Amino acid sequence: MASTDRSKKLRVLLIPFFATSHIGPFTDLAVRLVTARPDAVEPTIAVTPANVSVVRSALERHGSAATSVVSIATYPFPEVAGLPRGVENLSTAGADGWRIDVAATNEALTRPAQEALISGQSPDALITDAHFFWNAGLAEELGVPCVSFSVIGLFSGLAMRFVTAAAANDDSDSAELTLAGFPGAELRFPKSELPDFLIRQGNLDGIDPNKIRQGQRMCHGLAVNAFLGMEQPYRERFLRDGLAKRVYLVGPLSLPQPPAEANAGEASCIGWLDSKPSRSVLYVCFGTFAPVSEEQLEELALGLEASGEPFLWAVRADGWSPPAGWEERVGERGVLVRGWVPQTAILSHPATAAFLTHCGSSSLLEAVAAGVPLLTWPLVFDQFIEERLVTDVLRIGERVWDGPRSVRHEEAMVVPAAAVARAVARFLEPGGTGDAARIRAQELAAEAHAAVAEGGSSYDDLRRLIDDMVEARAAAGGVAPARQPQ
């Protein structure tokens, strides 16, 4: 049982997967929970020691007050063969990233430490990443509600389920899978763009989708970093098919944020953008995880140069340098930044015209919230699926490259510089496809802001999530503060 020495506040323990792209949204959710009900919620983020700095960085982006209202707890990272000590995050694992995935979903490796953590913390409620499917059972044993939090939207989650079903029934030699019965327009995916664990049956490299889905269904509910304007038909299908008992759409969690003090890197980026005309700059970033080959980076650099358009390019590639003379030729028209950049501030800047992105879930949502159209360049995992939401459903962007592509890094074709230059120039051309996509993106941004504002759908869902956890605690014998008015 959870602790019977209960204060008025609901003590919520949040446990994200070992990736910056998950730890950031989980931290945002913790801040949102305590901001929504400061007298009712006391959140703690639980991470392994090497990931504490990721949480602190995310908290700092919310302002200094956030660091005092969200606690951090640690538990040991499992010992994984072949993974250097201290490497506990996909963003730092490089080619060993697959070992992080395997460790995260390996119950024998990771459950004992998390079980000890949960027992020691004795929370009133648990919010867990879907990777840790066993936590729903642990919470049930302790008599506390468990909520699964997904940083991936319902569109992608549902599409992956449909892909698994289509692959199981596919006995043809076709290079494509068709997702029959998927809400909305029919979706077709080349098999080369789908992760192996979805299209091969059974447990692959320690990842068992069925166990993950079963854990999600056991939970009290599913919280998602998304909003109703993007996800309504997929929410309805999730509930209709029994994939979750309840669905809470609580995003976008990345806005609005109180202004935080800018660091030197942020001031440099924003200062450069301040010098550019409105809607003139292409922002380029491929996220914190997926690797890009040096050959591809060189073609991208040459393509950005040849496009003739201003650009701000965030590069995460140690040891790589652009072609000789490139920086001199580009001059003030382009900026290359290594390491972290203030992405939400860049996307919301008036000078930013478009975002060339890998289609990571958080990046997609941040662009939507800023009303910025997208040039898509997916690399791994669910990013090819997320791309379809951008290009086929929401119609707020288009592909950089229409040639052969693959979710497997070793099979990825190098996109030539000429193709990059054509795609960028066409998308940013006045009156071109980018302008039409921008109009739709700005309409969606208005919906996103309305959703998180007082009385909006995400505002209400966040408070419903808190109330439901409080009532579940009361049902288990705890103390429940009065339900707050919506």
Side-chain angles (χ1 to χ4, degrees):
M1 291 289 294
S3 170
T4 56
D5 180 20
R6 298 177 185 272
S7 66
K8 179 182 178 183
K9 289 189 176 182
L10 182 82
R11 290 171 294 108
V12 182
L13 183 64
L14 301 96
I15 311 180
F17 170 59
F18 314 123
T20 300
S21 59
H22 287 237
I23 296 169
F26 264 79
T27 306
D28 292 339
L29 176 59
V31 173
R32 288 289 190 171
L33 289 170
V34 74
T35 301
R37 297 278 170 77
D39 296 328
V41 180
E42 189 177 277
T44 298
I45 298 280
V47 290
T48 59
N51 286 314
V52 169
S53 61
V54 182
V55 178
R56 287 179 176 156
S57 177
L59 287 174
E60 287 168 2
R61 293 197 287 275
H62 286 274
S64 57
T67 60
S68 63
V69 295
V70 177
S71 301
I72 303 174
T74 61
Y75 64 98
F77 188 79
E79 291 189 14
V80 181
L83 199 62
R85 185 174 296 276
V87 176
E88 302 173 3
N89 189 303
L90 277 177
S91 300
T92 58
D96 288 320
W98 65 273
R99 300 182 191 275
I100 299 280
D101 276 318
V102 171
T105 55
N106 188 314
E107 189 169 4
L109 282 177
T110 301
R111 174 172 174 158
Q114 291 188 349
E115 189 167 3
L117 165 79
I118 295 167
S119 178
Q121 288 285 319
S122 189
D124 298 317
L126 183 66
I127 298 180
T128 184
D129 218 313
H131 292 74
F132 310 132
F133 54 85
W134 51 82
N135 281 337
L138 288 176
E140 188 174 42
E141 292 172 14
L142 292 169
V144 300
C146 180
V147 172
S148 179
F149 176 50
S150 178
V151 302
I152 296 174
L154 296 177
F155 172 88
S156 289
L158 193 62
M160 285 191 277
R161 174 177 172 265
F162 271 73
V163 165
T164 302
N169 296 319
D170 180 54
D171 55 3
S172 69
D173 294 328
S174 172
E176 283 190 334
L177 281 180
T178 300
L179 306 193
F182 191 82
E186 182 179 81
L187 294 180
R188 295 176 180 271
F189 288 96
K191 293 177 181 176
S192 63
E193 296 180 5
L194 297 169
D196 283 341
F197 75 88
L198 291 179
I199 60 176
R200 295 184 189 176
Q201 300 307 301
N203 189 328
L204 181 68
D205 289 337
I207 300 173
D208 189 338
N210 290 325
K211 285 188 176 180
I212 291 173
R213 293 178 187 126
Q214 182 180 6
Q216 197 170 75
R217 286 194 297 269
M218 284 180 62
C219 283
H220 182 81
L222 171 67
V224 187
N225 187 16
F227 62 100
L228 198 61
M230 285 180 65
E231 300 277 17
Q232 184 168 2
Y234 317 116
R235 175 181 184 163
E236 292 172 358
R237 188 59 182 264
F238 253 75
L239 292 170
R240 192 186 88 187
D241 289 359
L243 302 177
K245 296 175 183 175
R246 302 165 185 83
V247 174
Y248 309 90
L249 297 177
V250 297
L253 293 169
S254 58
L255 87 129
Q257 295 180 7
E261 205 171 301
N263 58 34
E266 178 168 351
S268 174
C269 287
I270 301 304
W272 181 83
L273 285 171
D274 287 342
S275 70
K276 299 301 177 187
S278 175
R279 296 178 184 169
S280 64
V281 175
L282 175 71
Y283 170 52
V284 183
C285 182
F286 289 111
T288 59
F289 163 54
V292 181
S293 70
E294 292 194 1
E295 183 182 5
Q296 182 62 83
L297 290 171
E298 180 161 334
E299 291 296 315
L300 175 54
L302 294 173
L304 292 173
E305 176 190 352
S307 74
E309 302 291 347
F311 62 88
L312 194 165
W313 181 12
V315 180
R316 191 182 62 84
D318 294 336
W320 176 80
S321 296
W326 180 83
E327 291 176 289
E328 290 76 11
R329 295 192 303 271
V330 168
E332 279 295 307
R333 178 167 63 82
V335 169
L336 187 152
V337 182
R338 295 185 183 276
W340 182 85
V341 295
Q343 181 159 290
T344 53
I346 291 169
L347 289 170
S348 62
H349 196 282
T352 301
F355 181 15
L356 196 165
T357 175
H358 63 308
C359 295
S361 297
S362 294
S363 290
L364 167 57
L365 196 60
E366 288 169 2
V368 164
V372 174
L374 304 164
L375 276 169
T376 62
W377 192 326
L379 299 171
V380 295
F381 191 50
D382 66 309
Q383 294 166 8
F384 291 86
I385 295 174
E386 291 275 12
E387 179 187 57
R388 299 306 177 88
L389 180 61
V390 171
T391 58
D392 297 357
V393 179
L394 302 176
R395 295 181 296 117
I396 58 172
E398 61 183 38
R399 296 183 183 186
V400 170
W401 172 248
D402 282 322
R405 306 184 306 175
S406 177
V407 72
R408 286 163 281 282
H409 180 64
E410 65 277 6
E411 297 176 4
M413 181 176 179
V414 174
V415 179
V420 174
R422 281 195 303 271
V424 170
R426 181 180 67 244
F427 201 64
L428 296 187
E429 180 183 11
T433 55
D435 280 354
R438 181 178 299 105
I439 291 171
R440 289 188 289 272
Q442 290 175 339
E443 292 171 349
L444 205 54
E447 292 185 39
H449 285 260
V452 299
E454 185 172 354
S457 59
S458 294
Y459 178 96
D460 288 345
D461 264 16
L462 183 67
R463 281 149 185 77
R464 184 167 63 91
L465 169 61
I466 296 169
D467 287 338
D468 286 355
M469 289 191 294
V470 167
E471 290 183 1
R473 178 182 72 170
V479 178
R483 177 178 277 268
Q484 299 293 317
Q486 296 296 331

